[in-house]
Amino acid sequence: QNIDLYESLRRSGIYTILTTSELAAGFMAIGWYRATGQPGVLAAMEGPGFAWCVAPLAEAAQDAAAIIVITGKAGENAQPYDQGNIGQDRIATALGATVLDIIKSGSAGEIVREAWHVVSRHRPKPVVLQVAMDGESDLAESREYGFDRQDINPVDDRAFADALSALGLAERPIILAGAGSVEHSDVLNRLIDEAYIPLLATPTARG
């Protein structure tokens, strides 16, 4: 869910840290603020990912720690059973956080500056920055945010051979494939056939 965000961060040169969970990321962000005096920023997928941020948000609100949680926003037409539709606004507000929504790409800079202002006050409050990616937003179509999947480089024979050789060095190899592998499903099938390696498919490659 965050692939567009992380690709944009990679291209920007902004240093990021991949954590084991959103819970860990939240407390690491608080730790960063305590150690440096600079706001800590983390990203989490909407719904279940945001739910893991509840404890850090509560801690930040009660202890005046400056953190910003960047997450998605359920659309106006979201159904009750949609995983992202858990009432993030109400949860964050109840915890004492400020909720800001980015709906249009043209307003993104202004809203991010507002978020930075909130967390830079004498007694900061945590901020939940929700990015809308549904029909009411133009962010999904904006190439300024994210990347064009056509930019993904094709896998050549040499790269395939290197991967096959590397897997051959493993004692008990297994392939854990996430949803992103659909871009190269033909290569993945070929790898499984030639290396004779078991495959475990999972939507988010978390096992």
Side-chain angles (χ1 to χ4, degrees):
Q1 289 86 350
N2 290 334
I3 188 169
D4 291 327
L5 171 62
Y6 278 103
E7 177 62 14
S8 297
L9 290 171
R10 183 188 68 80
R11 292 185 177 186
S12 72
I14 296 175
Y15 181 68
T16 60
I17 299 174
L18 182 63
T19 63
T20 56
S21 69
E22 293 85 354
L23 178 67
F27 283 111
M28 286 174 65
I30 293 174
W32 171 263
Y33 171 69
R34 295 292 179 221
T36 68
Q38 301 175 349
V41 182
L42 64 139
M45 63 172 284
E46 70 274 14
F50 172 82
W52 282 104
C53 298
V54 168
L57 279 171
E59 169 76 15
Q62 293 295 315
D63 209 19
I67 68 170
I68 298 175
V69 178
I70 302 174
T71 186
K73 174 180 173 62
E76 292 182 351
N77 298 323
Q79 300 300 315
Y81 50 79
D82 290 341
Q83 68 169 5
N85 189 16
I86 64 170
Q88 293 178 174
D89 306 60
R90 297 190 302 275
I91 295 172
T93 302
L95 292 172
T98 297
V99 180
L100 300 173
D101 293 342
I102 297 178
I103 307 296
K104 301 296 182 181
S105 58
S107 64
E110 179 182 346
I111 294 174
V112 169
R113 284 190 290 272
E114 183 180 351
W116 203 257
H117 173 72
V118 172
V119 296
S120 300
R121 295 184 303 196
H122 174 66
R123 182 172 176 79
K125 294 177 61 178
V127 172
V128 175
L129 196 57
Q130 298 187 128
V131 182
M133 298 298 289
D134 63 354
E136 63 179 322
S137 168
D138 64 350
L139 293 172
E141 288 74 33
S142 173
R143 289 299 94 198
E144 180 182 353
Y145 301 86
F147 71 105
D148 190 339
R149 292 184 182 274
Q150 294 180 357
D151 291 343
I152 298 176
N153 296 325
V155 178
D156 57 31
D157 289 337
R158 181 175 180 179
F160 181 86
D162 289 344
L164 200 61
S165 176
L167 286 169
L169 298 176
E171 294 182 3
R172 292 186 296 273
I174 184 172
I175 296 175
L176 182 63
S181 62
V182 70
E183 304 289 349
H184 292 302
S185 58
D186 55 335
V187 178
L188 185 60
N189 288 331
R190 178 184 168 196
L191 187 63
I192 295 169
D193 290 340
E194 295 194 19
Y196 207 66
I197 296 175
L199 168 73
L200 176 61
T202 173
T204 52
R206 291 184 176 181

